[in-house]
Amino acid sequence: MDISTVLVTGANKGIGKEIARQFVQAGLTVYVGSRDAERAEQAVADIGGDARPLVLDVTDPVSVAAVADHIDVLDVLINNAGVSSAEGRAAQDEDADTFRRIFETNVFGVVAVTNALLPALRRSAHPRIVNISSGTGSLAAAVTEHSGYRGGFASYRSSKVALNALTVFYAQSLAEDGIKINALAPGLRRTDLNAAAAAAGGDPAEAAAGAVRLAMLPDDGPTGAFFSWDGTPLPW
């Protein structure tokens, strides 16, 4: 498929950085989004190739607007930037400000960036959006007796439930534009997002490969779907 330009949010470390690295290795131009200019520059130096630093704070309307003005044509948007609560508390133990902070990045930031970059995506012949979600954002999995979280990480998990819903709604409303949008559950990885993921020891590059596959879907590929990192369809 003929694509050349990718933007990855939150790409200065973790899964986002590995996604950027794999796209660069495939010969694409990749904008490495980061809130901090120095960290973006360092990530670009590590990745090499045609990686380009891009200061982007998904929670800052001015920053988002500046990025939209900077990019004329965009083939792939990876909404990867995300935050969590370190404590992993249940809903009754987290205050509303914690929920607001998590949703500001994981949900509202995705809306802001996606909407701002739609003009650039519409100029692409094969526009794709991948939302980095979480298997813990599956309501179907949460209500089974085998769910291990039992109400924990309520702010983070509910933000991913909302992100999954947005994936469906965007896919439906953007279908006529030819924009495919899907959600990916990367699995537990060695990242800074939470201690459990770091302890799990999963390779971020493995999850990144799943995001790249979704970004390279053919024109008859799925949209509005939820997949595990290995391509297995997941229940909402």
Side-chain angles (χ1 to χ4, degrees):
M1 188 172 62
D2 183 21
I3 65 172
S4 61
T5 306
V6 180
L7 167 59
V8 186
T9 68
N12 60 284
K13 62 181 180 179
I15 295 172
K17 185 176 179 180
E18 290 305 319
I19 293 172
R21 187 192 309 278
Q22 291 184 24
F23 276 122
V24 166
Q25 290 173 345
L28 279 64
T29 297
V30 181
Y31 291 104
V32 177
S34 173
R35 290 179 298 178
D36 183 85
E38 185 175 343
R39 290 179 180 178
E41 293 281 359
Q42 182 60 58
V44 164
D46 292 342
I47 293 169
D50 198 9
R52 303 181 182 184
L54 188 69
V55 176
L56 172 58
D57 181 347
V58 303
T59 68
D60 180 2
V62 175
S63 176
V64 172
V67 166
D69 288 340
H70 180 70
I71 300 176
D72 184 54
V73 179
L74 184 65
D75 296 304
V76 177
L77 170 62
I78 308 290
N79 285 310
N80 168 76
V83 296
S84 182
S85 56
E87 298 84 3
R89 295 172 178 169
Q92 69 271 20
D93 298 320
E94 291 189 313
D95 58 30
D97 285 341
T98 299
F99 278 84
R100 290 189 186 96
R101 178 178 65 84
I102 302 298
F103 271 67
E104 192 66 44
T105 296
N106 296 3
V107 181
F108 307 145
V110 171
V111 172
V113 172
T114 300
N115 288 353
L117 288 168
L118 280 179
L121 286 161
R122 288 187 172 111
R123 297 184 189 107
S124 168
H126 307 280
R128 303 287 184 264
I129 301 173
V130 181
N131 291 332
I132 304 303
S133 182
S134 168
T136 68
S138 167
L139 283 177
V143 298
T144 67
E145 59 184 68
H146 302 295
S147 174
Y149 289 93
R150 305 299 300 169
F153 291 96
S155 56
Y156 173 76
R157 292 169 67 200
S158 61
S159 76
K160 294 302 184 179
V161 172
L163 178 61
N164 286 350
L166 282 175
T167 301
V168 173
F169 302 151
Y170 271 114
Q172 292 171 343
S173 61
L174 296 175
E176 291 186 359
D177 293 329
I179 299 177
K180 292 188 178 298
I181 176 168
N182 293 287
L184 178 79
L188 289 175
R189 302 293 163 185
R190 287 193 306 271
T191 70
D192 295 338
L193 191 62
N194 60 63
D203 188 353
E206 191 175 49
V212 172
R213 283 195 298 271
L214 288 180
M216 305 287 280
L217 284 173
D219 289 340
D220 61 353
T223 188
F226 186 24
F227 295 96
S228 177
W229 60 270
D230 62 359
T232 303
L234 295 177
W236 296 113

